[in-house]
Amino acid sequence: MTDDQRAGEVLIVTGMSGAGRTTAANALEDLGWYVVDNLPPQMLVHLLELTEMAGGALPKLAAVVDVRGRDLFQALPAVTNALRAGRQLRVLFLDAADDVLVRRFESVRRPHPLQGDGTILDGILRERDRLRVIRESADVIIDTSEMNIHQLASRVVDLFSDVGEARHTITVMSFGFKYGLPTDVDLVTDMRFLPNPYWVPELKGHTGEEEPVRDFVLAQEGAREFIDAYASALHPVLAGYQRENKRHSVLAVGCTGGKHRSVVTAVELADRLAQVPGVAVRVKHRDLGRE
């Protein structure tokens, strides 16, 4: 589905308490959806009016609606039917087996919102009865009984990401060791095994973004072999990140000052990693210009 086709799309996320609404909402938010949690159904009309006034600023809206709204929740089927006219509206219903839901509530030691003076199972059965109509009219039903949070998030990404949309973004960051290791990085590699252009008089004042330095670095023994091999080694890593629904990672590439070797390598690695399906690549030069 193209961006134009998704413009103004509305998704109502509902379902059984404990079935994964929060996980689904977080996954949608990571995909760029504007997510509103615990919204009374009656407020949906006003919210959609506001988004339409925003003129496309919020092209993808997801509203989490559930029994926390108490008596107001009963209006959801009627409100949903009314909103479907002229809008790209879908309903995502999250479900799980009763025994699974009981175990999930017991593991977090929280009561079911509808159990009152009864048991957790009493609350689940009351909720299931209230949700029967909306479940029957749902566009997408996900049974999370056998899923962990990562599997559910991946399923949501599969269903609601745009065709061709990146499932993982990696930032390739060059840096200089003499300025310290960058914080919050996932992978670090060291290019100081290559000769330093700093000691070549005609290259000292240039950077890795310039062709003479690039040609010098890539002409060194082992340079291209390392870059090719390292990029290939990262392919299964990035594929694994996508399976585990890890949306972002940072690869730090270091040399002495962050001006020559690391800059060239970061750009070369980014070009190769951009070919990995489902991956978007950004390049950042942390220390370029510091000397």
Side-chain angles (χ1 to χ4, degrees):
M1 188 174 291
T2 66
D3 289 340
D4 289 339
Q5 288 172 315
R6 280 190 179 271
E9 184 174 3
V10 180
L11 178 67
I12 295 175
V13 181
T14 188
M16 297 295 293
S17 300
R21 292 190 308 261
T22 299
T23 298
N26 290 339
L28 289 166
E29 198 163 48
D30 288 343
L31 288 173
W33 289 69
Y34 183 80
V35 180
V36 182
D37 190 21
N38 196 17
L39 187 73
Q42 294 84 345
M43 294 297 297
L44 275 170
V45 177
H46 303 294
L47 180 61
L48 293 180
E49 290 174 351
L50 288 174
T51 59
E52 289 167 359
M53 290 173 59
L58 299 173
K60 297 186 290 185
L61 171 69
V64 181
V65 184
D66 53 67
V67 294
R68 289 174 294 172
R70 300 186 183 276
D71 292 341
L72 295 175
F73 180 75
Q74 299 306 309
L76 181 58
V79 171
T80 300
N81 289 335
L83 291 176
R84 284 188 186 275
R87 289 185 177 88
Q88 299 179 65
L89 185 144
R90 289 190 289 174
V91 176
L92 166 63
F93 190 98
L94 298 166
D95 203 352
D98 291 348
D99 61 321
V100 173
L101 295 174
V102 169
R103 289 198 300 271
R104 290 176 182 175
F105 274 103
E106 288 178 341
S107 68
V108 296
R109 299 182 180 180
R110 295 190 63 187
H112 187 280
L114 296 182
Q115 77 178 71
D117 295 330
T119 66
I120 292 173
L121 183 57
D122 291 334
I124 291 171
L125 295 177
R126 292 188 186 109
E127 183 178 31
R128 197 170 291 287
D129 183 62
R130 292 191 184 186
L131 293 175
R132 185 171 291 108
V133 173
I134 194 66
R135 188 185 193 281
E136 291 173 354
S137 63
D139 299 281
V140 181
I141 299 174
I142 301 178
D143 188 327
T144 69
S145 300
E146 303 297 327
M147 293 183 179
N148 60 37
I149 59 173
H150 303 296
Q151 291 168 330
L152 172 56
S154 294
R155 179 64 174 147
V156 171
V157 170
D158 289 338
L159 288 169
F160 298 104
S161 61
D162 292 334
V163 174
E165 182 177 275
R167 295 185 51 161
H168 183 85
T169 299
I170 183 169
T171 298
V172 184
M173 176 195 301
S174 69
F175 73 96
F177 279 98
K178 72 178 185 180
Y179 300 113
L181 281 168
T183 58
D184 298 328
V185 299
D186 300 281
L187 302 162
V188 179
T189 190
D190 183 356
M191 300 309 297
R192 290 177 295 184
F193 68 90
L194 297 176
N196 192 347
Y198 180 87
W199 302 113
V200 180
E202 59 269 28
L203 298 178
K204 179 178 179 179
H206 295 276
T207 75
E209 292 186 311
E210 298 174 77
E211 188 172 347
V213 174
R214 176 183 178 276
D215 291 344
F216 175 87
V217 171
L218 295 179
Q220 302 308 308
E221 183 178 356
R224 290 185 183 274
E225 291 86 347
F226 172 81
I227 294 170
D228 290 339
Y230 192 43
S232 295
L234 288 172
H235 281 217
V237 175
L238 295 174
Y241 282 165
Q242 293 183 62
R243 288 193 299 271
E244 293 300 311
N245 203 45
K246 181 177 172 65
R247 300 285 297 169
H248 306 281
S249 63
V250 179
L251 166 61
V253 182
C255 63
T256 304
K259 180 179 179 180
H260 298 113
R261 294 164 290 180
S262 64
V263 172
V264 172
T265 304
V267 172
E268 292 294 314
L269 281 172
D271 287 345
R272 288 159 175 77
L273 296 179
Q275 308 305 313
V276 179
V279 173
V281 183
R282 300 170 182 166
V283 179
K284 179 180 180 181
H285 302 305
R286 190 192 73 173
D287 298 323
L288 198 59
R290 292 188 67 165
E291 60 176 55

